[in-house]
């Protein structure tokens, strides 16, 4: 028997919600949000399930004072933070080639016209993911939503349950964080190249 | 307040950054297949806790019931055993003469040391309290339920013997012999020996009764049986 809870404790007329109805309405949003927080395709299904386990367990604490999406966004962020921590402990840096199955999405990005373009695009994407992985999770979420997935600021504000002006300021900070992360990633790549060159010179 | 310009559209943004963020979106909508799988999991999720709750409730009830029944069995067993045994035969029940005719041969009674494991010998020195069952010594095999069951059967058999002691001491002795055969190292072995002494005395087999009483006394020294056995020995 599904757990039925009143969405707003103060309002008896509020629609009764349960984890099934939350999934029905918001599964797409949760799936997109987890990807924005850096959950790789190969782990997406598991993390999706984890979010709904939390939803089921904590639904009685949702009092309707915020939007359901805002509440879910917070859960996604915590689940993604745990996922990121576990991946860090395992020293994992998943490649975008690791997919949990080609049936995760109805359409796959196939904008590249030649194998060279596809290889370059893949390299760029991996670099981008590495940079984003080094960012603070909240900054990453806002940055990805606005800059890459092109979600309008008012929609982000609604999702996060914050004023649009706050989104602007957080976006500004996220951009700075992104630029700093790019600089760090560039420095790391330069160091790696130098180390490789020195090793090869030493071998000769 | 107007929406900020995205990096990819910003003419002042470094080309490297534009290139990085200019690719396809990082997130894609879930497929119908993924949604169906996820939906099935969530359906199960919504059901499982309720079922688990019922199972846990049943488990709790089962544990409570077994603990309760175990407690009742112990109390009943103890009550049966705690019924006081007449320490000295009443004048009405004790024959005034001793029948010296040999009775039917009986199997050799075990020594008190055999019959009474050290761990089961009570150490209290109270003498006027009713006979309490010796503390249940942990058996080498079997669970607590098995032990309780064994103790209950021991107690029931001794109670049968006690009931028939006045009217049929020979039958009582036969029951006590069966008890010895079944529970040679039983928890209630001292109690059995006490009843056996009584039965033998009533049957007029005074020497046998004294012999078993002395063996019991040797093993029951310092226990709550000691005084009772001494009283019996005095009357023999």
């Amino acid at each position: 028997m599904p757990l039925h809870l009143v969405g707003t404790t103060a309002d008896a007329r509020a629609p009764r919600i349960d984890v099934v109805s939350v999934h029905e309405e918001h599964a797409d949003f949760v799936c997109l949000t987890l990807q924005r927080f850096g959950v790789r395709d190969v782990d997406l299904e598991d993390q999706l399930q984890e979010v709904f386990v939390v939803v089921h367990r904590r639904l009685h604490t949702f009092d309707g004072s915020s939007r359901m999406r805002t509440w879910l966004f917070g859960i996604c962020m915590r689940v993604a933070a745990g996922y990121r921590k576990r991946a860090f402990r395992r020293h994992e840096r998943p490649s975008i080639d690791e997919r949990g199955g080609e049936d995760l999405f109805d359409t796959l990005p196939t904008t590249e016209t030649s194998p060279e373009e596809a290889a370059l695009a893949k390299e760029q994407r991996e670099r981008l993911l590495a940079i984003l992985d080094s960012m603070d999770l909240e900054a990453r979420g806002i940055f990805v939503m606005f800059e890459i997935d092109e979600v309008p600021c008012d929609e982000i504000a609604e999702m996060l349950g914050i004023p649009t002006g706050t989104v602007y300021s957080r976006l500004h900070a996220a951009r700075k964080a992104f630029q700093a992360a790019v600089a760090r990633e560039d420095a790391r790549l330069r160091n790696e190249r130098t180390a490789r060159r020195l090793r090869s010179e030493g071998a000769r | 307040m107007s929406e900020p310009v995205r990096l990819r559209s910003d003419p002042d943004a470094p080309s490297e950054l534009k290139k990085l963020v200019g690719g396809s979106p990082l997130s894609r909508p879930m497929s119908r297949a993924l949604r169906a799988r996820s939906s099935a999991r969530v359906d199960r999720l919504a059901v499982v806790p309720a079922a688990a709750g019922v199972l846990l409730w049943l488990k709790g009830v089962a544990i409570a019931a077994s603990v309760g029944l175990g407690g009742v069995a112990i109390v009943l067993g103890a009550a049966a055993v705690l019924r006081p045994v007449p320490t000295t035969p009443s004048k009405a029940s004790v024959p005034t003469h001793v029948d010296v005719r040999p009775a039917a041969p009986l199997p050799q009674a075990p020594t008190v040391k055999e019959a009474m494991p050290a761990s089961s010998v009570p150490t209290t020195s109270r003498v006027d309290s009713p006979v309490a069952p010796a503390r249940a010594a942990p058996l080498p095999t079997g669970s607590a339920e098995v032990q309780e069951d064994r103790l209950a059967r021991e107690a029931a058999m001794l109670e049968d013997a006690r009931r028939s002691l006045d009217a049929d001491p020979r039958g009582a002795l036969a029951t006590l012999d069966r008890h010895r055969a079944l529970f040679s190292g039983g928890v209630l072995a001292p109690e059995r020996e006490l009843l056996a002494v009584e039965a033998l005395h009533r049957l007029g087999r005074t020497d046998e009764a004294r012999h078993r009483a002395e063996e019991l006394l040797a093993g029951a020294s310092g226990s709550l049986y000691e005084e009772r056995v001494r009283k019996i020995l005095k009357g023999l």
Side-chain angles (χ1 to χ4, degrees), chain A residues 23 28 35 41 45 49 56 99 103-105 108-109 125 127 146-151 153 168 175, chain B residues 1 3-8 16 24-31 34-35 37-39 41 45-46 49:
Chain A
H23 180 273
D28 279 319
Q35 292 174 77
D41 294 355
E45 229 170 316
Q49 170 78 356
H56 185 43
R99 295 191 184 279
D103 65 346
L104 289 178
F105 312 105
L108 290 170
R125 179 54 55 101
R127 184 167 173 236
F146 183 77
E147 296 289 0
I148 302 170
D149 291 352
E150 300 189 334
V151 179
C153 277
Y168 293 162
R175 279 175 169 172
Chain B
M1 197 185 294
E3 185 130 322
V5 181
R6 289 189 171 79
L7 281 174
R8 67 177 73 184
E16 191 203 357
S24 50
L26 277 182
S27 53
R28 290 167 284 168
M30 69 200 304
S31 67
L34 175 57
R35 173 178 264 278
R37 284 199 298 274
S38 178
S39 183
R41 283 197 201 100
L45 186 69

Side-chain angles (χ1 to χ4, degrees), chain A residues 75-181:
Chain A
I75 293 175
C76 287
M77 198 158 96
R78 283 190 288 279
V79 166
Y83 166 79
R84 182 188 261 205
K85 218 179 279 178
R86 288 192 295 275
F88 178 77
R89 276 203 297 268
R90 293 194 300 261
H91 305 288
E92 282 179 1
R93 200 167 179 178
S95 158
I96 56 171
D97 282 343
E98 291 181 54
R99 295 191 184 279
E102 291 304 314
D103 65 346
L104 289 178
F105 312 105
D106 283 330
T107 53
L108 290 170
T110 50
T111 52
E112 300 81 23
T113 53
S114 68
E116 292 78 21
E117 276 185 4
L120 190 66
K122 187 187 159 207
E123 194 184 312
Q124 286 281 5
R125 179 54 55 101
E126 285 193 339
R127 184 167 173 236
L128 174 65
L129 289 175
I131 291 162
L132 293 173
D133 283 348
S134 71
M135 288 173 70
D136 167 75
L137 208 56
E138 195 183 336
R140 175 199 176 118
I142 288 191
F143 185 85
V144 170
M145 277 192 281
F146 183 77
E147 296 289 0
I148 302 170
D149 291 352
E150 300 189 334
V151 179
C153 277
D154 52 356
E155 234 177 84
I156 296 173
E158 191 188 310
M159 237 182 269
L160 271 60
I162 53 176
T164 311
T166 309
V167 174
Y168 293 162
S169 62
R170 288 192 189 175
L171 182 61
H172 181 70
R175 279 175 169 172
K176 278 190 167 177
F178 181 74
Q179 284 176 347

Side-chain angles (χ1 to χ4, degrees), chain B residues 7-225:
Chain B
L7 281 174
R8 67 177 73 184
S9 319
D10 187 354
D12 299 329
S15 61
E16 191 203 357
L17 293 186
K18 282 185 182 180
K19 229 190 287 175
L20 268 174
V21 298
S24 50
L26 277 182
S27 53
R28 290 167 284 168
M30 69 200 304
S31 67
R32 270 179 295 186
L34 175 57
R35 173 178 264 278
R37 284 199 298 274
S38 178
S39 183
R41 283 197 201 100
V42 167
D43 285 347
R44 283 199 296 273
L45 186 69
V47 171
V48 165
V54 170
L55 286 175
L56 284 173
W57 181 80
L58 287 174
K59 190 180 166 190
V61 166
I63 290 170
S66 60
V67 168
L69 286 175
V72 167
I74 289 170
V75 168
L76 288 177
V81 172
L82 283 170
R83 190 168 298 174
V85 178
T87 53
T88 52
S90 63
K91 282 182 182 173
S93 63
V94 177
T96 51
H97 69 281
V98 175
D99 185 359
V100 291
R101 285 176 298 174
L106 289 168
Q108 184 64 42
T111 62
V112 172
K113 278 179 187 170
E114 276 175 329
M116 194 162 47
S119 58
S120 71
V121 176
T123 53
T124 173
S125 62
R126 283 179 62 194
V127 292
D128 53 350
S129 65
V131 177
R135 189 185 304 175
L139 296 176
T141 56
S143 61
E145 286 87 351
V146 172
Q147 261 183 279
E148 283 164 22
D149 181 47
R150 187 185 164 95
L151 182 63
R153 283 192 294 131
E154 269 196 73
M157 200 176 263
L158 293 185
E159 182 58 22
D160 280 348
R162 183 179 292 114
R163 268 202 302 264
S164 60
L165 198 60
D166 284 342
D168 182 17
R170 196 180 298 277
L173 196 61
T175 304
L176 295 169
D177 287 334
R178 278 204 310 277
H179 181 278
R180 187 179 55 194
L182 286 170
F183 310 106
S184 61
V187 173
L188 302 177
E191 185 67 19
R192 177 190 67 221
E193 288 307 296
L194 203 65
L195 289 171
V197 169
E198 190 87 18
L200 285 168
H201 177 55
R202 290 183 192 208
L203 286 170
R205 295 155 64 180
T206 315
D207 289 346
E208 278 180 70
R210 184 174 290 117
H211 179 69
R212 281 180 84 159
E214 283 166 354
E215 280 187 336
L216 178 57
L217 191 63
S221 176
S223 77
L224 56 82
Y225 290 100

